[in-house]
Amino acid sequence: MDSPPEVAALYRLDDSLSEPERAVREVVARLVQSEVLPVIGQHFRAGTFPAQVVARLGELGVLGANLGGYGCAGLSNVAYGLAMQELERGDSGLRSFASVQTSLVMWPIHRYGSEEQKQRWLPRLARGEAIGCFGLTETEAGSDPASLRTRAARTKGGYVLNGSKAWITNGALAHLALVWAKTDDGGPESVRGFLVDTTTRGFSAREIPGKFSLRASSTAELSLVDVRVEESDVLPGVHGLKGPLSCLNQARAGIAFSVTGAAIACFEGARAHALERQQFGRPIAAFQLTQAKLADMLERIVVAQTLGLHLLRQKDAGRASPTLVSLAKRANVRAALTTAREARSIYGASGITDDTPPIRHLLNLESVYTYEGTHEVHTLVLGKAITGIDAFG
Amino acid sequence: MKILVTAKRVEDPESKIKVKADGSGIVQEGLKYKMNPFDEIAVEEGLRLTAKHGGEVVVVSIGPKDVQEQLRHALAMGAARAVWVNHPGPLDPMGAAGLLQKVVEKEKPDLCILGKQSIDDDQGQTGQYLAEWLGWSQGTFASKLDSLESEAEKAKAPAIELSADGKTLQVVREVDSGLATLACSLPAVVTTDLRLNQPRYASLPGIMKAKNKPIEELTPAGLGVDVGLQVEVLRMSPPPPRKAGVKVGDVQELFQKLKNEAKVL
């Protein structure tokens, strides 16, 4: 049940959006309503990825939508963020798929790739015919990517990759892996990006079992044993860690905006439940503590949405600093997570089953809290910006 | 083939519609609007026909400036250009058909496709008036022989068939006893029923392209049409609220009630 119009207007921010931006949101909202929400609960329960949605996202031009040319829609970051927000209203796992495809695979190819690499990969990735993953994190290199161990040894005409990657979204589904590895000399400045066709001999992916979060999404370990890549598979336009870090900055900005979608789904569900559920002869929405929870949830959503819109407008103007990205990612993911927890509590006992959406969003958001720069790392980025002192050591 | 399609702005059927206390109309504040679903089917059919036979789809809407949103939606789906008849006031089916007739005379399409009715006031007359006044053949309530799950639908094939010589349309329409197949000579007016096709979503690149497609503005005065109302709405009132139901304990009790209280068995 939708919120009353004057409440929804507070977080839909329609008056601040252009007509194409609203149109983009409505198309993706319709897709999620009719093709994602009816099946997402079952996928979450079964731990399966809703693969049939990928082709639809490709058909509608959602993947790589904020890039220009090569079959991409050329949307503003705000319009793209609205599309991601609607996907996240469905499920953070599905949105994670799209974020990785767009910001961590297509964006670096678009930004740092050769013309041949762009022609080869971008149209297929945009149509959803090829799925990409981003291999930076390793079991021993999470928040500290400079310590990554995957090596690319130079050989005649190319490189041989050895190493392993962990917590890789889309890993087990991917046709293309963008693997970040150090070239021979081993320093962080020697990091390069390699476009690895996942059918190459020596490449394998293993789904990580036992997840309680992002269950409708693939999260895998990648293993690279003597994987040969050509010189033409190296991203020519970037050297060093700033390559992968710039990709993450892209993705984080999108996430800071989109995560509100999960919060809105939780809020709307909890509101409807509170009005319907009767205790002591009245709907629980009549009790002050429930009203306080709903008011807190709405406040957090509106604040997050306003901050997210500010961030993406700044990004469209080329002015979004990494500090602002860190601030917004940290603030908005925490706001969404808190909102999901409160929504869960309004559902009472039924809220612990996957028949109700908040527990799914809540569990998903625990991943979002940690990935794309942990909450803690973003805190220290802000601490450094405020004090000038680097607390990372 | 040039096809003119309509895109009326209507209240979103999923919105909660409230009648104003004085019965003069509905409360518009906070309502969402969208393209009349039957018109969306008309746009889709037009796009499929031009995809198969070549040509262009021109979309027309009548209303205040807000209707540009629905025109942009049709442009985002793939229509080539749009005509906006700027008329902020009330309009009845004869007024709409009169304006459309003038637009048709100006645009000279081979075919007009309209929704069979609009879901706001459900008059269901505009297409018929238009065909009559133009002196064109008409195929109303066009439907599809195949189910919406069929291969033809998945392949986005048009349900309306054009003869080999390009002079006749074959239109299947729903009638009380089943489906009737009509041959309509062109030019023609077709109105769409619900089961003609499943309209596409506008794609994101389509939305971006629509920004730059032209919308031509016309006015009733400019077209020389008197849109004075022939039908006046006197009063609107909400349907009486439904009475609360009762919960039955078991199937037996349900049968008892159906038999003895409702007397339907």
Side-chain angles (χ1 to χ4, degrees), chain B residues 16-28 235-239:
Chain B
K16 254 193 196 151
I17 310 282
K18 281 187 212 147
V19 176
K20 283 185 195 163
D22 65 1
S24 65
I26 59 168
V27 179
Q28 298 199 317
R235 194 168 53 84
M236 283 198 180
S237 52

Side-chain angles (χ1 to χ4, degrees), chain A residues 1-2 5 12 19-28 30-31 33-35 56 59-63 65 71-76 79 83, chain B residues 12 14 16 18 29-32 34 40 65-66 68-73 76-77 156 199-209 211 215:
Chain A
M1 196 199 316
D2 286 349
R12 288 173 64 86
E19 188 187 293
E21 286 167 350
R22 290 197 299 271
V24 165
R25 181 183 61 199
E26 294 314 311
V27 166
V28 181
R30 200 167 159 189
L31 176 77
Q33 186 69 34
S34 59
E35 295 175 39
R56 293 288 283 138
E59 204 176 301
L60 296 176
V62 175
L63 304 171
C72 301
L75 298 184
S76 68
Chain B
D12 184 336
E14 281 164 35
K16 254 193 196 151
K18 281 187 212 147
E29 200 194 2
L31 272 186
K32 283 203 242 175
K34 60 188 294 186
E40 213 172 19
K65 192 162 198 286
D66 295 339
Q68 289 196 11
E69 202 181 312
Q70 280 61 49
L71 291 173
R72 290 274 177 225
H73 178 59
M77 287 173 74
K156 309 280 178 212
R200 70 195 66 191
Y201 292 4
S203 73
L204 275 47
I207 291 169
M208 294 306 283
K209 280 186 204 140
K211 282 203 298 188
I215 296 181

Side-chain angles (χ1 to χ4, degrees), chain A residues 334-345:
Chain A
R334 181 172 55 188
L337 190 52
T338 311
T339 302
R341 282 191 187 130
E342 274 181 353
R344 211 291 308 150
S345 77

